[in-house]
Amino acid sequence: MTIVEIFLGIFEGFRVTATVTAFALLFAVPFALIFGVAQYLTKGAVRLIVTSIIEFWRSSAVIILLFVFYYALPVVGIQLPAITVSAIVLGLNTGGYGSQAVRAGLQSLDKGQLEAGMALGLSRRRVLYLIELPQALVRMAPTFINQFIQLVKGTALVSLVTLTDMTFRAKEIAELEYNPVGIYTSLLLAYFVVCYPITVFGRWVELRIGTGRELTSEL
Amino acid sequence: MSFDLAFAASTVPPILSVIGTTIGVALLSCAGASVLGFSFEILRRAGAAPGYALRFVIDFIRSTPVLAWLYFLYFVLPHYGVILPALMVGVLGLSIYFSGYLAEVFKAGIDAIPKGQSEAARALGLNRIDTVFFILAPQMLRNVAAPVGNYFVSILKATPYLAVIAVPEMLGSAFDIASDTYRYAESLTVVGVVFLLLALTIAQAVKLIERKLLQPTSR
């Protein structure tokens, strides 16, 4: 196999990489919004529960969560396909990070925004929808793009639970022929080709918004 | 088959017996990633040409998954006659991967120091080296302490990835138990809980250090 054939062979796994990413977003975005807002609005015991749930998904090592859910759920009688388990674990982990961005974004708004909204006679909920969330989400856009990249890269893990993504394809090709340099260089390049345009887009958004904040996320 | 609590308890001692490897790998990788990331950032400032080259290197690292780096180093280095223990390959992989993020942290930390600080130091007659050591470095350290601490927690959570290249850390030993007994749920759940507790403890410690020792002085 030439290096081009190897690269294209690895890219056959892109469909799975993209599918897992898309399904994971279905869990990540609602989780980030609901739990971020909940952590911002609640107090006392409720906030403690909300924080605990976020911290569980955020502070666990995602590779271990993936294995635990993949191997432990069948024991308690829940059989889920690998792709669903992957989407849930990667999605909620990303959502945990996202929720902190949402909360921080809401907290960073000037207090006058809330006060002005209330003074205009809007309900608390309408202030949130019409005034606070739109501003916070714009402010957080660069962070979300960074987290999206982290998610795409995180999908490399699904190769460990038998899904034929790009990483899995690389290992399959490695079994067929001995060319570690070509195969694993191609694997790095394949992810670079997918993620770099998003990185560039993120930088552009950051410049447009002008309030880029360093992401403290992982993998 | 159901979840066997007694069996789960019996997996705790063997898993905890390798916690030292996990923490050691994390510490070595933290040091490696910091040194590499800081070197990247200093070289990036050296001039236009190395600046662009290193910016690309950092972007490349940030656009590729840590799993792909581990496979790359593990299979490609021996091809060139570089035989390292798996543990060192893992440390190298984590160091490279996280250096990309830490370089950005150092960049932000250095950029945040007002230009007047170095101008004032030079005006007072301090030479270049003294300016860096006594004026700039302490301020930079304060600026980067919080995000670097967060990345250290991320590095800790990335150590189970080393299981894929046969490093005997906690996830690896959990898998050994699982494949001996065909009981995956218990040992994996135990390792998940241990990691969660470890990550939460260290995250709290980082927060505490940040609060107690690194309070910014009023400017």
Side-chain angles (χ1 to χ4, degrees), chain B:
Chain B
M1 200 152 91
S2 62
F3 194 91
D4 184 345
L5 265 182
F7 178 73
S10 76
T11 66
V12 174
I15 287 173
L16 280 183
S17 73
V18 286
I19 198 169
T21 310
T22 293
I23 293 173
V25 163
L27 286 176
L28 282 176
S29 305
C30 288
S34 302
V35 169
L36 203 57
F38 190 67
S39 312
F40 278 161
E41 180 48 29
I42 293 303
L43 291 172
R44 179 156 63 170
R45 286 165 185 274
Y52 280 115
L54 275 162
R55 183 170 152 171
F56 181 78
V57 170
I58 292 166
D59 278 349
F60 186 88
I61 292 172
R62 283 160 50 98
S63 302
T64 41
V66 62
L67 202 56
W69 278 102
L70 291 175
Y71 285 136
F72 179 84
L73 294 171
Y74 191 64
F75 293 112
V76 169
L77 287 180
H79 184 74
Y80 291 113
V82 184
I83 314 281
L84 294 175
L87 195 120
M88 288 326 290
V89 174
V91 168
L92 195 60
L94 293 184
S95 298
I96 291 175
Y97 180 77
F98 282 98
S99 71
Y101 294 90
L102 288 176
E104 297 292 305
V105 169
F106 288 123
K107 176 185 186 321
I110 295 172
D111 285 346
I113 301 171
K115 216 177 162 56
Q117 293 289 322
S118 60
E119 285 168 3
R122 299 305 288 278
L124 284 172
L126 290 177
N127 65 31
R128 220 187 152 94
I129 294 167
D130 283 351
T131 304
V132 169
F133 259 91
F134 295 114
I135 309 294
L136 302 181
Q139 298 188 57
M140 187 206 70
L141 285 179
R142 186 164 282 166
N143 288 341
V144 302
V148 167
N150 285 337
Y151 276 111
F152 283 1
V153 178
S154 295
I155 290 174
L156 177 80
K157 288 192 293 170
T159 56
Y161 281 82
L162 270 57
V164 303
I165 56 170
V167 174
E169 46 67 68
M170 290 199 288
L171 179 61
S173 80
F175 262 113
D176 286 345
I177 298 167
S179 55
D180 285 348
T181 58
Y182 295 106
R183 301 193 71 97
Y184 283 86
E186 289 85 353
S187 55
L188 287 172
T189 305
V190 165
V191 81
V193 172
V194 171
F195 256 102
L196 182 59
L197 293 177
L198 198 57
L200 287 173
T201 310
I202 294 180
Q204 285 305 315
V206 167
K207 233 179 252 174
L208 204 71
I209 292 170
E210 213 178 290
R211 208 173 301 151
K212 295 267 174 201
L213 296 178
L214 298 158
Q215 281 289 343
T217 47
S218 52
R219 283 203 247 269

Side-chain angles (χ1 to χ4, degrees), chain A residues 55-56 58-64 67-68 71-76 93 97 146 149-150 152-154 156-160 167 171 178 180-182 184-185 187-189 191-193 195-196 199-200 203 214-219, chain B residues 1-3 55-56 59-69 71-72 75-76 78-80 97-98 101 104-105 108 146-147 150-151 154 157-158 160-161 163-164 171 175 184-186 188-189 191-192 195-196 199-200 203 207:
Chain A
E55 284 302 317
F56 171 76
R58 211 169 69 101
S59 298
S60 294
V62 54
I63 180 173
I64 296 181
F67 283 129
V68 169
Y71 288 109
L73 284 181
V75 172
V76 293
N93 178 257
Y97 284 108
N146 269 326
I149 300 171
Q150 300 293 344
V152 176
K153 291 192 296 170
L157 281 176
V158 304
S159 63
L160 301 174
T167 307
K171 287 197 301 193
Y178 179 78
V181 182
Y184 293 104
T185 307
L187 179 63
L188 286 174
L189 278 176
Y191 279 102
F192 178 69
V193 165
C195 293
Y196 188 59
T199 306
V200 173
R203 197 171 287 147
E214 188 54 40
L215 165 82
T216 49
S217 172
E218 63 145 295
L219 313 183
Chain B
M1 200 152 91
S2 62
F3 194 91
R55 183 170 152 171
F56 181 78
D59 278 349
F60 186 88
I61 292 172
R62 283 160 50 98
S63 302
T64 41
V66 62
L67 202 56
W69 278 102
Y71 285 136
F72 179 84
F75 293 112
V76 169
H79 184 74
Y80 291 113
Y97 180 77
F98 282 98
Y101 294 90
E104 297 292 305
V105 169
N150 285 337
Y151 276 111
S154 295
K157 288 192 293 170
Y161 281 82
V164 303
L171 179 61
F175 262 113
Y184 283 86
E186 289 85 353
L188 287 172
T189 305
V191 81
F195 256 102
L196 182 59
L200 287 173
K207 233 179 252 174

